[in-house]
Amino acid sequence: METVHRTCPLCEAVCGLRITLDDSGRVAEVRGDRDDPFSRGYICPKGASLGRLDEDPDRLSAPLVRKGGEWREVSWEEAFAAVEEGLARVPGPARAVYLGNPNAHTMAGAQYGSPLVRALGTRNVFSASTADQMPKHVASGLMFGDPMAIPVPDLDRTSYLLMLGANPLESNGSLCTAPDFPGRLKALRGRGGRLVVVDPRRTRTAALADEHVFVRPGTDAYLLAGIAHTLIAEDLVTVRVPANGLAEVAGALRDLTPEACAAACGVPADVVVRLARELAAAPSAAVYARIGTCTAEFGTIAQWLVEVVNALTGNLDRPGGAMFARPATEAPGRRRPYRTGRWHSRVRGLPETNGELPVATLADEIETPGEGRIRALVTVAGNPVLSAPNGARLGRALAGLEFMVSVDPYLNETTRHADVVLPPPRVLRSGHYDFALLQFAVRNYARYSPPALPLDGRPSEAEILARLAMIAAGQGADADPAALDELVLGQMLRAAVDAEGPLHGRDPAELRAALTGADGAERRLDAMLRLGPYGEWNGGKLSLRTLLDAPHGLDLGPLEPRIPGNLRTASGVVELAPRPILDDLARLRASLGRPAPEFVLIGRRHLRSNNSWLHNVGPLVGGTNRCTLQINPADVARLGLDGTAVVRSAAGELSVPLEPTETIMPGVVSLPHGWGHEGSPQAVAARNAGVNVNVLTDETVVDALSGNAVFNGVPVTIAAS
Ligand SMILES: Nc1nc2c(c(=O)[nH]1)N[C@H]1C(S)=C(S)[C@@H](COP(=O)(O)OP(=O)(O)OC[C@H]3O[C@@H](n4cnc5c(=O)[nH]c(N)nc54)[C@H](O)[C@@H]3O)O[C@H]1N2
Ligand SMILES: Nc1nc2c(c(=O)[nH]1)N[C@H]1C(S)=C(S)[C@@H](COP(=O)(O)OP(=O)(O)OC[C@H]3O[C@@H](n4cnc5c(=O)[nH]c(N)nc54)[C@H](O)[C@@H]3O)O[C@H]1N2
Ligand code: SF4
Ligand SMILES: [Mo]
């Protein structure tokens, strides 16, 4: 028996785990790591099932190559040779890549995703970000100049939290890295603070709150506009950060009165006004909005208004308010002001954001003939057939590709269309560092987990992605992946010695020689830590060594104010009224008097689920974790429904089992995403198939500024089946 300590890679909460392995390397037990200063022993049922996931017999153990409908296990050499042959047939501009959610949870995704994208030589870059948080990046990019500068609520110190469209008691939090989110919310109430939750469902998070406010799906932008309007109209504004555009904000919101907004969002005007007054009066307060408000028609406007309200109440960048983390691997910021629309998608003319195109138009780009049509696709850690809007259409489009390669441990609804599937090794054979998630932590913190077990002759995911990149760049299947790490390291160190700062004028070769680490991925982490804000090469202590010596993680202190140092706007101050957002308000106004559809569809998450995967882990499925349509009993009675119903949208239709519940607003129905595993080679998932909600979601409707998919507020009709 051996005990190892690792960060859980399954969600954004980054809990420390204490894992007991038996002599054969099997996971015997998983517990929370009580010595982790951030998670302090917290664990959820998913983390506890890591062993079951690890030994899932349906996880792929060797690469697969498909000929017609037949899958064949092949050697890694043969698999990479097949990739080389497939990609060689399709020139760069006709290739595409889709990067899925777990890329935010693997070192390989963080370190080798960008080189892979560059090597493919295409602007057809898609990811789960445009089915998720792109509105946040665009709002932050335009206001702070940096799309990654996303403030988080200072959860442990705030005295008032207004939470919209998030359900951390199921999701464990998102773009707000906070292990034991439920405990932190209880502590907020325990110290006399107030929690208000805005959601069309009375969720478990809402049940824990002081107040739950029902909102009509897709209309949070109105509610937030009404709050901002009230702050300005009642002279409750105290902006404490250097900022431009307050007068423009006031002008732009003048007609969006609480009464006008109430009519659109369904929250009574007196509640809108009261929320504004409470936010202004609280000793400290934060507004936090997540997926329910992002994957919506006015997603970017809503995220902008969140930060406008935080700024107007004096809570942006101050303890107890909305603050920016300072991650240990933060690179010196870019100086170019942020903009979107540097290029546009070929078929629908949708603007690029963060170097990507909206996943809502991926099927268009594959299906529509003409120069630049996508003919080859690389997917890494994604399942867009179940996660993209109108995923059913996307599935049909994938079947028509000339070549597709997927890096994924499973054969699933998406990877079954690939010609080659490359499975990464077990979680315990990979190192783990949360490059992405620690940018959004509610305390500054760092933890590195080295591989707990050696590689068993299979390449690491880092090596898989590096080799894909080198093949895509035309260097062939035999190129040495280590060369890629050296290239990246060389660039990083060269930039450091060229820049003003402690390393100015040093010799990059001498710095390179000082790096430690068992492989390229670790050496790159070492360099980033040393160069980072707490780094050994920056007057601090951090390096790979210090993290290896702290297997339970290192607390780097509470969040500290960062404005103006972290701003990248041309003006150097916060831009409260970016032109593109003010222009988009016309779209919000235009829909003010729009009649509400009879029913709108929203999503939901379950604690024991994880987007489209983990459905093959027996202990996690079943019980309340099921793919049912939540509907208010009054609607069931009015329509005379019984058992199941047919749901229709502009995109498609589904027959679904009903789950009547008083917890959902009348006129709103909710179906979780990530299901629809009928016929899956994953045996447990196939027995608990459910249906694909993204048969119903409409890829033709996006948030205009970010191109983000709209999953909440989808007009549907319901009929007896
Ligand atoms: N209707 C509706 N649709 C939604 C949402 C919604 O709320 N409603 N939510 C959206 C959101 S927020 C997101 S993030 C997307 C997610 O969309 P995707 O990222 O496309 O889908 P996931 O289900 O997260 O797919 C994860 C894939 O990664 C694989 N995987 C797991 N671990 C690893 C690993 O270590 N390495 C590799 N290479 N692969 C791995 C899994 O087997 C699985 O195939 O879905 C979106 N879709
Ligand atoms: N257990 C589990 N955890 C997960 C995931 C998972 O699938 N399962 N997925 C991970 C991913 S990829 C992400 S992005 C995060 C997401 O994390 P969260 O943002 O917390 O996501 P949800 O739990 O879906 O909560 C969204 C809430 O928004 C509500 N809602 C829907 N429409 C609207 C609306 O128009 N307005 C408002 N105000 N509310 C609305 C829904 O009812 C729901 O309660 O979770 C992550 N964690
Ligand atoms: S809350 Fe998230 S990080 Fe923590 S154990 Fe559960 S799945 Fe893992
Ligand atoms: Mo997500």
Side-chain angles (χ1 to χ4, degrees), residues 460-623:
S460 66
E461 182 154 13
E463 183 179 338
I464 295 172
L465 297 190
R467 289 187 70 175
L468 279 183
M470 297 181 98
I471 291 170
Q475 291 171 309
D478 302 324
D480 178 11
L484 179 64
D485 293 310
E486 291 306 324
L487 183 76
V488 174
L489 275 175
Q491 287 165 349
M492 210 188 303
L493 298 175
R494 169 57 54 197
V497 300
D498 285 349
E500 291 303 317
L503 295 181
H504 188 76
R506 293 269 296 269
D507 176 9
E510 169 222 336
L511 298 174
R512 169 65 189 84
L515 293 175
T516 63
D519 57 18
E522 283 194 351
R523 282 187 285 275
R524 285 172 61 187
L525 172 61
D526 192 25
M528 290 174 80
L529 290 167
R530 287 168 187 249
L531 292 169
Y534 314 85
E536 196 178 285
W537 286 343
N538 215 354
K541 286 203 204 85
L542 276 201
S543 66
L544 180 66
R545 185 77 263 150
T546 46
L547 288 191
L548 286 170
D549 287 343
H552 306 289
L554 277 185
D555 182 42
L556 300 170
L559 304 185
E560 286 174 5
R562 297 202 57 189
I563 288 179
N566 68 335
L567 299 178
R568 300 283 173 266
T569 49
S571 61
V573 303
V574 174
E575 293 296 345
L576 288 176
R579 192 74 252 164
I581 296 182
L582 294 194
D583 290 346
D584 198 33
L585 286 174
R587 203 169 52 94
L588 185 73
R589 278 200 189 82
S591 81
L592 259 176
R594 190 170 66 179
E598 190 195 355
F599 281 99
V600 287
L601 174 72
I602 62 172
R604 72 173 185 274
R605 281 173 170 73
H606 190 282
L607 180 61
R608 286 183 291 127
S609 192
N610 199 10
N611 297 329
S612 76
W613 65 300
L614 297 193
H615 294 160
N616 207 47
V617 179
L620 294 179
V621 285

Side-chain angles (χ1 to χ4, degrees), residues 684-707:
V684 179
R687 284 199 298 278
N688 297 274
V691 292
N692 180 3
V693 67
N694 286 322
V695 162
L696 297 172
T697 54
D698 186 347
E699 80 282 24
T700 65
V701 185
V702 294
D703 170 41
L705 284 176
S706 65

Side-chain angles (χ1 to χ4, degrees), residues 354-375:
N354 287 16
E356 302 185 20
L357 294 173
V359 70
T361 195
L362 176 52
D364 300 314
E365 296 292 334
I366 298 174
E367 287 175 349
T368 312
E371 195 172 314
R373 182 177 73 82
I374 293 173
R375 292 157 44 205

